[in-house]
């Protein structure tokens, strides 16, 4: 079957956008994979703690991720209708919603970490898993913020900064993992003099992921704020329960 010129053009655009989105998804999962791979170089218990902690974090965070996906159609509709101001407003409301949603989810993750010994987990393994969750949980809001900003950027066909952020901060996560897990030895491996840094164990891997997610959110956020978008003043930045509920109605089933 021979495609018409307009069909080939649309197909190229679709493949370019979907290919970038696929790479972004791989990048998000790669962070947890790197944590687990590096943990395996220390010992079985650290590896088990990292794997268990990652599973708990993912099981809770995926609810918030689904909620943030409610931004996709709303931002796309606004940009498709030439309403750049409304698209920016929806993004801001999505970030407020991410902050609100992350509070109970954070408390839930920390609660699970405390209850692990009551679930039959060995005390030493439970302690390391809890350390990992304490280090990783600050990234919960940041992860949801990244998903919201990603929706905004990809709706405007600006996927390159998202791809760059995912690649760049996966590298940051690897370096931070190595240094925080091995302490001074990790610094020496990168040619940095010893600073009296002690190994943080599984907790260090959690904090490394939070640091990388923070950098990713800032990097993408700066790109999202670029562009000539009309500003309707303080009302654009004010939380709107109506707008947040609209995002929730779309995202909650997801």
């Amino acid at each position: 079957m021979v495609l018409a010129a307009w069909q080939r053009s649309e197909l190229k655009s679709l493949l370019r956008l979907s290919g970038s989105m696929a790479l972004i998804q791989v990048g998000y999962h790669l962070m947890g994979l790197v944590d687990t791979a590096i943990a395996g170089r220390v010992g079985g218990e650290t590896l088990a703690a990292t794997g268990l902690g990652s599973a708990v974090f993912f099981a809770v965070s995926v609810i918030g991720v689904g909620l943030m996906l409610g931004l996709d159609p709303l931002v796309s509709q606004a940009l498709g209708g030439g309403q750049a101001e409304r698209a920016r407003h929806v993004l801001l409301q999505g970030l407020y919603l991410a902050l609100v949603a992350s509070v109970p989810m954070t408390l839930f993750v920390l609660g699970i970490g405390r209850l692990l010994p009551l679930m039959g987990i060995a005390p030493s393994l439970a302690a390391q898993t809890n350390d990992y969750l304490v280090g990783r949980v600050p990234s919960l809001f940041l992860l949801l913020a990244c998903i919201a900003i990603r929706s905004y950027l990809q709706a405007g066909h600006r996927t390159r900064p998202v791809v760059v952020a995912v690649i760049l901060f996966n590298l940051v996560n690897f370096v931070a993992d190595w240094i925080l897990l091995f302490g001074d030895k990790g610094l020496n491996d990168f040619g940095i003099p010893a600073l009296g840094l002690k190994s943080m164990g599984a907790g260090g891997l959690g904090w490394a992921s939070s640091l990388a997610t923070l950098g990713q959110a800032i990097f993408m956020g700066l790109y999202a704020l670029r562009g000539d978008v009309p500003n309707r003043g303080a009302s654009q930045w004010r939380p709107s329960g109506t707008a947040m509920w609209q995002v929730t109605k779309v995202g909650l089933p997801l």
Side-chain angles (χ1 to χ4, degrees):
M1 182 179 65
V2 180
L3 298 177
W6 69 269
Q7 291 174 318
R8 291 196 298 271
S9 176
E10 290 294 329
L11 183 58
K12 286 180 181 178
S13 297
L14 177 62
L15 291 176
R16 190 182 304 115
L17 182 61
S18 60
S20 299
M21 292 170 63
L23 181 59
I24 291 165
Q25 290 299 115
V26 170
Y28 282 140
H29 290 286
L30 188 60
M31 196 173 290
L33 178 63
V34 169
D35 287 352
T36 305
I38 294 179
R41 300 178 67 88
V42 176
E45 190 168 78
T46 301
L47 175 62
T50 304
L52 179 57
S54 294
V56 170
F57 182 84
F58 176 78
V60 177
S61 66
V62 72
I63 299 171
V65 170
L67 192 62
M68 290 298 101
L69 291 178
L71 288 168
D72 280 352
L74 299 176
V75 175
S76 297
Q77 288 168 6
L79 290 177
Q83 299 175 308
E85 180 185 2
R86 172 166 171 72
R88 177 70 60 84
H89 179 68
V90 172
L91 167 63
L92 292 172
Q93 299 310 313
L95 293 176
Y96 287 130
L97 179 61
L99 183 60
V100 171
S102 66
V103 173
M105 294 167 67
T106 295
L107 295 175
F108 189 67
V109 170
L110 293 176
I112 292 177
R114 293 284 186 175
L115 293 174
L116 286 174
L118 301 179
M119 301 177 187
I121 306 297
S124 58
L125 175 58
Q128 284 210 58
T129 304
N130 185 60
D131 288 344
Y132 177 86
L133 290 173
V134 169
R136 187 76 190 271
V137 81
S139 71
L140 189 49
F141 163 69
L142 298 169
L143 173 63
L144 302 189
C146 284
I147 299 297
I149 298 169
R150 186 198 71 182
S151 294
Y152 178 78
L153 290 173
Q154 72 185 23
H157 290 209
R158 291 191 288 167
T159 56
R160 180 173 296 178
V162 186
V163 172
V164 171
V166 168
I167 295 173
L168 175 62
F169 288 100
N170 263 292
L171 293 175
V172 169
N173 179 59
F174 170 76
V175 173
D177 271 351
W178 197 272
I179 292 174
L180 295 180
L181 181 62
F182 294 109
D184 278 343
K185 181 183 179 302
L187 290 173
N188 293 334
D189 288 339
F190 287 103
I192 304 173
L195 299 174
L197 182 65
K198 295 182 179 180
S199 168
M200 295 179 65
L205 298 176
W207 284 109
S209 294
S210 291
L211 177 65
T213 309
L214 172 62
Q216 191 172 322
I218 293 173
F219 184 91
M220 291 166 55
L222 291 175
Y223 267 91
L225 290 175
R226 292 174 61 179
D228 186 19
V229 178
N231 191 340
R232 61 184 182 186
S235 62
Q236 185 180 35
W237 297 88
R238 195 175 298 131
S240 167
T242 302
M244 284 191 280
W245 175 240
Q246 188 178 19
V247 176
T248 302
K249 283 196 299 183
V250 178
L252 200 56
L254 297 175

